[in-house]
Amino acid sequence: MLTNTLIDRTNRFYIEMSRKVLSEKEYDIVHKLLIEKMSLKEVGENYGVTGESVRRLYERTFEKVKSVTELLADIDLYKQKL
């Protein structure tokens, strides 16, 4: 139970931190997958696409957020060096 709560909190944090770098559709899909716990198939049905399309979009979204996070970390590092 504690592990699920921690995962849910982490997911919510991830979602909120990602909000500014994601399109509305990307945000909605990630929210449905991580917070509402919908399956790829269910989310795909909402958008009229396959679960595989949703999976690929999720992976691209993850990479986008990861890139932005790394960029922010680099900026912080350069600030410290200055």
Side-chain angles (χ1 to χ4, degrees), residues 72-82:
L72 292 174
D74 288 345
I75 290 170
D76 285 341
L77 180 64
Y78 291 129
K79 281 183 181 177
Q80 288 175 0
K81 287 183 177 183
L82 290 175

Side-chain angles (χ1 to χ4, degrees), residues 14 29-30 33 40 52-66:
Y14 168 74
I29 287 173
V30 172
L33 292 171
L40 293 171
E52 179 62 21
S53 295
V54 173
R55 184 190 63 74
R56 284 193 310 269
L57 182 114
Y58 178 79
E59 287 177 357
R60 285 192 310 269
T61 300
F62 175 80
E63 289 302 320
K64 179 192 261 187
V65 172
K66 183 179 170 188

Side-chain angles (χ1 to χ4, degrees), residues 32-72:
K32 286 181 181 344
L33 292 171
L34 296 179
I35 305 303
E36 297 176 29
K37 311 252 191 260
M38 293 175 71
S39 70
L40 293 171
K41 182 179 177 184
E42 290 171 321
V43 175
E45 288 172 356
N46 282 352
Y47 285 97
V49 297
T50 65
E52 179 62 21
S53 295
V54 173
R55 184 190 63 74
R56 284 193 310 269
L57 182 114
Y58 178 79
E59 287 177 357
R60 285 192 310 269
T61 300
F62 175 80
E63 289 302 320
K64 179 192 261 187
V65 172
K66 183 179 170 188
S67 295
V68 169
T69 303
E70 289 170 352
L71 179 62
L72 292 174

